[in-house]
Amino acid sequence: MPELAPGLVYFPDFFDRAAQERLVAGIRDAVRAAPLFTPRMPRTGKEFSVRMTNCGELGWVSDTKRGYRYQPDHPVSGAPWPPIPDLALRAWREAGGYRLAPEACLVNFYDAGARMGLHQDRDEAALDAPVVSISLGDSCVFRFGGRERSGKTKSVRLHSGDVVVIGGASRLAFHGVDRIMAGTSTLLPQGGRINLTLRRVSAG
Ligand code: MD3
Ligand code: FE
């Protein structure tokens, strides 16, 4: 599979349409058990434009009081997170290839105006494990650079069914979502984009 950068491996169309529909059904079940919440930036208290939930033993959450972290329960209801959908686990095994199971699956919901600023994923102790990303619904313009925020960046479009494995030299690369391309997919009846990221949190 093509490497977009060292350690950044792209699997276009990893999931066919039928598998994408099953994944969306699995995510709808998860959202029923663990409703979407709107995280806030730790220092400023500013709300993310992306709404989130999680599956797995641990979920990523953020608020002003305690900052970015992983925790075993939903920040509003206190309920444990629902299980990670089987098809998502398949991408972790077949594309990610890490020896230990993922502990978290962060579910990001983007409506047409949502975006995600440039950041690094570094709240995990297991930095040797890759992050495995699954895109569903509308395409997006994704941006990534190097390990310095000020470094030069490249843009790629991610489409429904694509999987990206972020490992090796790219594991701490800065990245973000510049824009959702509304109307580019019929997968989600209301439009928008879902991104799942599977993560190993604890060092094994
Ligand atoms: C990292 N989500 O939740 S995941 C996040 O599409 C997050 O929702 C994005 O960043 C999203 O933390 C991106 C996939 C991804 C793809 C390419 C990368 C992460 C990457 C390239 C370099 C570094
Ligand atoms: Fe990220």
Side-chain angles (χ1 to χ4, degrees):
M1 287 296 151
E3 266 195 322
L4 301 175
L8 189 64
V9 189
Y10 181 44
F11 296 78
D13 300 313
F14 183 92
F15 290 111
D16 65 16
R17 175 75 185 212
Q20 292 172 42
E21 287 172 1
R22 280 166 55 204
L23 257 175
V24 170
I27 294 157
R28 291 203 191 290
D29 290 343
V31 168
R32 223 168 285 127
L36 295 170
F37 60 91
T38 305
R40 286 180 184 272
M41 305 290 285
R43 296 158 55 87
T44 59
K46 189 174 156 25
E47 283 191 339
F48 282 61
S49 60
V50 181
R51 291 181 302 151
M52 300 181 180
T53 190
N54 292 270
C55 305
E57 288 154 58
L58 293 172
W60 186 90
V61 301
S62 177
D63 54 37
T64 31
K65 204 169 154 198
R66 296 173 59 201
Y68 301 149
R69 64 196 184 274
Y70 285 92
Q71 66 180 41
D73 49 14
H74 191 281
V76 179
S77 73
W81 304 106
I84 301 176
D86 282 341
L87 277 170
L89 293 173
R90 201 183 105 206
W92 176 266
R93 279 195 311 272
E94 294 178 8
Y98 189 68
R99 67 191 166 88
L100 302 173
E103 293 166 297
C105 175
L106 175 60
V107 180
N108 292 155
F109 268 81
Y110 295 81
D111 63 23
R115 52 184 297 284
M116 190 178 286
L118 216 57
H119 67 277
Q120 292 172 298
D121 292 6
R122 53 171 191 202
D123 301 320
E124 304 78 24
L127 285 175
D128 64 318
V131 172
V132 173
S133 156
I134 302 169
S135 292
L136 296 166
D138 285 336
S139 303
C140 75
V141 180
F142 185 83
R143 179 188 297 279
F144 67 94
R147 290 187 199 208
E148 312 278 345
R149 182 180 289 280
S150 60
K152 84 180 216 310
T153 60
K154 285 185 183 173
S155 266
V156 290
R157 285 171 190 203
L158 298 179
H159 308 287
S160 197
D162 291 355
V163 167
V164 181
V165 177
I166 306 98
S170 287
R171 180 63 181 78
L172 290 175
F174 275 88
H175 59 280
V177 173
D178 284 347
R179 164 168 92 75
I180 302 302
M181 301 167 72
T184 49
S185 167
T186 57
L187 185 68
L188 304 174
Q190 320 273 20
R193 172 174 184 264
I194 300 174
N195 179 263
L196 309 180
T197 45
L198 294 143
R199 299 148 186 261
R200 177 79 197 179
V201 179
S202 329

